[in-house]
Amino acid sequence: MRFVTYATADGDRTGVLNGDLIHALPEGTSLLELLGPTLRQTGERALAEPADVVALADVTLKAPLPRPPSLRDCLCFLDHLRACRKAVGAPEALERAWYQIPAFYFANPATVLGPYDEVPISPGSAWFDFELEIGAVIGTAGRDLTPAQAEGHIAGYTLFCDWSARDLQALEGQLKIGQAKGKDGATTLGPWLVTPDELPFGPDGRLALQVQAEVNGELVGAGRTDAMDWSFGEVISYASRGVELQPGDVFGSGTVPGCCLLEHLDFGDLTAFRGWLKEGDVVSLRAEGLGEVRQSVRAGAPPHPLAARPDPTAPPRRPRVNPAASPLPYTKGLHQVGDGVWAWLLPDGGYGWSNAGLIAGDGASLLVDTLYDLPLTAEMLSGMRPVTDQHPLSHAVLTHANGDHTHGGQLLPGSVCVIAAEGTAHEMRTEMAPELTAALQVMDLGPTLTPYLRDRFGRFDFGGIRLRTPDRTFERRLTVDVGGREVRLLNLGPAHTEADTVVHLPDAGVLFAGDLLFIGCTPIVWSGPLANWIAACDAMLGLGASTVVPGHGPVTDADGIRAVRDYFGHIVEQADAAYAKGLDFQEAAFGVDLAEYADWLDAERVVVNIYRRYREIHADQPVLDRFALFGLMAEWDRRRQSSAPRKAVHR
C-alpha cells in the first residue's frame, strides 16, 4: 500500500495511491496520526470508501511526513564510507568502532522537502551533493527493542535524499562534535510511503531494492539496498536503547554505495570529476517499488559572514605589505592608466588578488581578465559601468587559465566574445572544476599546510562558478579591433602556465602583462621553462610600453619587467650552483639566497621555481603534484616565520 500527502487549497490531504488515482482520507487526517497497528485497515477503507478521488497528475505531492517528529540518518553501508575516505585521500581502513556499533546522527525535520520541490544550495557551500538513501518510518512506539522487534515497528519505507554541503561538512568535521550546517539544509522524503508487504526482502531479511541516481539525465551511480552492513532492524534497535521511539520517526539508511558525487571524486584525477551540483541541475533518484524523486537545484542565499576568533596559540605573522613603488596609488578599484584605458587593481597582489583591465574604443570596449570569484567580479563590473554604459563590452581577453583570471566569466554578457590562446582554452577544459578550489579552505591537510592555505585562500567565495570557456582562440598573435582601436594579443608562453597572453595597446603605450609579471610579489613557474619566461620579459621590453599593468601588484613600467627577468636569472644561478654541488631540489630551495628579492610577497614560491629548474636540468627528478608543492611552500614559509626576529616587548 502506498500512502501520499498532497497539497490542496485548504491544506494538506492524505490518501492512498491506487494506480494513477489518490483515494483521499477525510480532511484533517494526517499520515502521522494514522501510523500504528491499524494503518493497513485504514488504507483499505480509503480504497473502498474514499472521501475524495483525485488524479495523481493533478496534485502536488509533498513529503509523506512533511514534519516528522525526528529524523535520524544512519550509515548502514560501510563501502560508502570507505569510498568517501578514499576520495579525499584518507585511509580506507575503518576504525574498529565502525564494526562494533551502527552510526547515526540527527538531521533537521524542519527542512524536509517533497519529491519534486526545488532544493536550495546550503548558504556558503560550493560543494553541494546528493545522497540516495532509503528511509524507514516507525509505525508504533517502542523502547529497548531487539533487531527483530525493531523490524516489526517499521510502518513503511520511502526514498530519502540527504542533501550535503561537503565543504561545510569537511570544515565542521574538524570540530569532532558531529554533523552541523553541512547536513541540515534539506532532506527529501517521497514520493510515497510504501508498506513492507509490497517490497522485496532478501533471505537475510534485508530490504532488497535496486536503486539508481542521475544528474541531468546522466547516470551517477546504481546499487542494491541488500548490500547493507547494518540492517534497519539493527540500527533502530541501537537507537531505541533507553529511548522511546515515536510513530513517524524516520531512519535514513545512509548512502547506497556509488549513489552520491563525493564517491566519484579523485584528487589524483580532478579533471575526471563532473563537478558538484549547481543551480539548474536536475537530480533524479529511483528505487524499485518506491518510485522516483526529481528535483532541481537552485542557488541559496549568501551567508551573513562571521568574524573569526583570534587564535591565542598562533604565532605572529609578518604583515603583508607589497613593497613595490608605483606611479599610481595601489588601491582597490578602477585607475586610469592611459587615454581610454583603465586598470582594476586588487592589493596586495598575493594569491587570488589579481588585476584586470579595460580598454574603451568608439562604442565598444574590451575587458582584460575577470577575477577569482563571482562577488569580486560583480564588484569590478559594477565599478566599470560608467565606462561600459557608454562603450559596451564587446570583447574579453583571458591572459591565461588560472582561476583568479577566469572564474568570473559567467557574469559577462552573452554578446561578449571571449578570446584566449589555444593553450589557455586547453587548460581551462582540462583543469579541475573551479569549486574544487574550496578544498584549500576546508580540508584538513595537516598542521603546517592547513593554516597556510587558509591564510592565502580563505577570503574567496568559490560557490556557483560555471567556467565560461573562450569563444575564439589563437596560437601566437591576434589583432582585435575595439571600436576603431588596434589591440594586439601576443602569446609569449609557456611560462607561468601553458599559454601566457599579453595585451598591447600601441596607441596608448599600455601593456597588460597578465601573470608574466608579478610586481612586489614573487612569480611562480607552474609550466616553464624558466628560459621562456626570461625571453617573454625581453619580448615585453621590446614593445616599448611606458605603462605596464601586471597580473599581480601595482602598475609599473619597464623597470618592473627587468626586475622579474633578473629574479629568474638569479634563481637559475642559485639552482644551477646547488645542483652542481649535489644538493637535491629541496636542499636547494630551503637554502636559497634570495638577495634583494627576499622582501617580495610570497617568497616561498621559490620552492616551485627551483623545482621547475631542477626538472629542466635533469628530467628524472621526482614528479610532485600541486598539493605536494604547496606543502613544501608552507614548510618553507613556516621556517622563515619562525626564524624571523621578533620585536622586543617593553613593559
Side-chain angles (χ1 to χ4, degrees), residues 182-217:
K183 286 289 191 177
D184 76 348
T187 302
T188 296
L189 301 177
W192 31 72
L193 178 72
V194 182
T195 53
D197 57 290
E198 291 202 7
L199 298 172
F201 289 80
D204 59 357
R206 281 170 166 75
L207 190 65
L209 307 179
Q210 179 70 38
V211 304
Q212 69 177 45
E214 296 178 351
V215 177
N216 300 331

Side-chain angles (χ1 to χ4, degrees), residues 297-358:
V297 175
R298 62 175 174 84
H304 298 294
L306 300 175
R309 304 298 90 157
D311 180 356
T313 66
R317 294 190 59 82
R318 292 182 177 182
R320 288 182 60 85
V321 178
N322 191 302
S326 175
L328 293 176
Y330 186 35
T331 56
K332 180 180 181 180
L334 198 63
H335 299 262
Q336 189 159 9
V337 294
D339 183 17
V341 190
W342 292 264
W344 183 272
L345 305 179
L346 275 184
D348 55 28
Y351 287 108
W353 302 106
S354 57
N355 301 328
L358 182 65

Side-chain angles (χ1 to χ4, degrees), residues 271-320:
T271 60
F273 185 57
R274 72 163 302 281
W276 303 103
L277 296 175
K278 299 184 178 66
E279 182 169 23
D281 284 342
V282 178
V283 177
S284 300
L285 308 179
R286 302 183 188 92
E288 175 188 359
L290 296 182
E292 176 185 14
V293 301
R294 182 179 177 85
Q295 298 177 271
S296 296
V297 175
R298 62 175 174 84
H304 298 294
L306 300 175
R309 304 298 90 157
D311 180 356
T313 66
R317 294 190 59 82
R318 292 182 177 182
R320 288 182 60 85

Side-chain angles (χ1 to χ4, degrees), residues 550-631:
H552 296 258
V555 173
T556 188
D557 53 21
D559 286 342
I561 301 175
R562 294 187 187 97
V564 171
R565 181 190 62 187
D566 293 347
Y567 168 85
F568 282 117
H570 180 73
I571 294 303
V572 169
E573 291 177 1
Q574 289 279 305
D576 290 6
Y579 186 83
K581 293 177 182 177
L583 303 179
D584 64 33
F585 99 85
Q586 292 190 40
E587 292 172 321
F590 281 82
V592 68
D593 176 10
L594 286 176
E596 67 263 37
Y597 311 106
D599 290 334
W600 286 8
L601 293 178
D602 303 318
E604 67 275 6
R605 294 173 178 173
V606 70
V607 172
V608 178
N609 299 336
I610 289 182
Y611 166 74
R612 291 296 173 193
R613 181 57 183 168
Y614 263 57
R615 292 272 298 159
E616 293 167 16
I617 296 171
H618 201 295
D620 288 341
Q621 295 293 321
V623 177
L624 301 179
D625 62 26
R626 288 199 180 183
F627 273 104
L629 291 170
F630 270 119

Side-chain angles (χ1 to χ4, degrees), residues 245-527:
L245 301 182
Q246 299 299 314
D249 287 349
V250 179
F251 285 78
S253 65
T255 309
V256 179
C259 294
C260 69
L261 297 176
L262 176 59
E263 290 190 45
H264 302 281
L265 176 65
D266 179 359
F267 274 95
D269 184 14
L270 292 174
T271 60
F273 185 57
R274 72 163 302 281
W276 303 103
L277 296 175
K278 299 184 178 66
E279 182 169 23
D281 284 342
V282 178
V283 177
S284 300
L285 308 179
R286 302 183 188 92
E288 175 188 359
L290 296 182
E292 176 185 14
V293 301
R294 182 179 177 85
Q295 298 177 271
S296 296
V297 175
R298 62 175 174 84
H304 298 294
L306 300 175
R309 304 298 90 157
D311 180 356
T313 66
R317 294 190 59 82
R318 292 182 177 182
R320 288 182 60 85
V321 178
N322 191 302
S326 175
L328 293 176
Y330 186 35
T331 56
K332 180 180 181 180
L334 198 63
H335 299 262
Q336 189 159 9
V337 294
D339 183 17
V341 190
W342 292 264
W344 183 272
L345 305 179
L346 275 184
D348 55 28
Y351 287 108
W353 302 106
S354 57
N355 301 328
L358 182 65
I359 299 169
D362 185 9
S365 61
L366 178 147
L367 179 71
V368 180
D369 285 335
T370 65
L371 300 178
Y372 209 8
D373 62 23
L374 300 183
L376 285 172
T377 303
E379 181 184 18
M380 177 182 73
L381 294 176
S382 177
M384 291 178 170
R385 194 159 292 132
V387 178
T388 56
D389 282 349
Q390 300 297 316
H391 309 277
L393 282 174
S394 56
H395 299 82
V397 174
L398 305 179
T399 60
H400 62 290
N402 285 173
D404 52 347
H405 298 260
T406 61
H407 279 179
Q410 73 193 71
L411 299 183
L412 300 176
S415 58
V416 172
C417 178
V418 178
I419 305 170
E422 177 55 39
T424 295
H426 174 260
E427 279 195 300
M428 292 177 69
R429 290 190 296 265
T430 57
E431 282 196 335
M432 68 180 184
E435 66 270 18
L436 286 175
T437 313
L440 307 179
Q441 301 171 320
V442 301
M443 290 186 67
D444 184 359
L445 299 169
T448 299
L449 183 54
T450 298
Y452 173 83
L453 292 176
R454 292 184 188 173
D455 177 68
R456 300 304 198 268
F457 296 96
R459 289 178 287 173
F460 301 106
D461 178 0
F462 298 114
I465 297 170
R466 289 185 181 270
L467 203 59
R468 180 170 174 180
T469 53
D471 303 305
R472 181 181 181 186
T473 62
F474 66 99
E475 289 295 337
R476 304 306 300 180
R477 295 173 178 268
L478 181 68
T479 298
V480 180
D481 181 277
V482 180
R485 300 188 77 170
E486 180 184 88
V487 180
R488 298 176 182 174
L489 314 182
L490 296 87
N491 172 16
L492 303 179
H496 175 59
T497 60
E498 183 177 325
D500 296 288
T501 296
V502 299
V503 179
H504 183 214
L505 191 63
D507 68 4
V510 176
L511 175 69
F512 291 94
D515 278 9
L516 287 174
L517 213 58
F518 291 70
I519 299 299
C521 40
T522 306
I524 188 166
V525 185
W526 289 124
S527 291

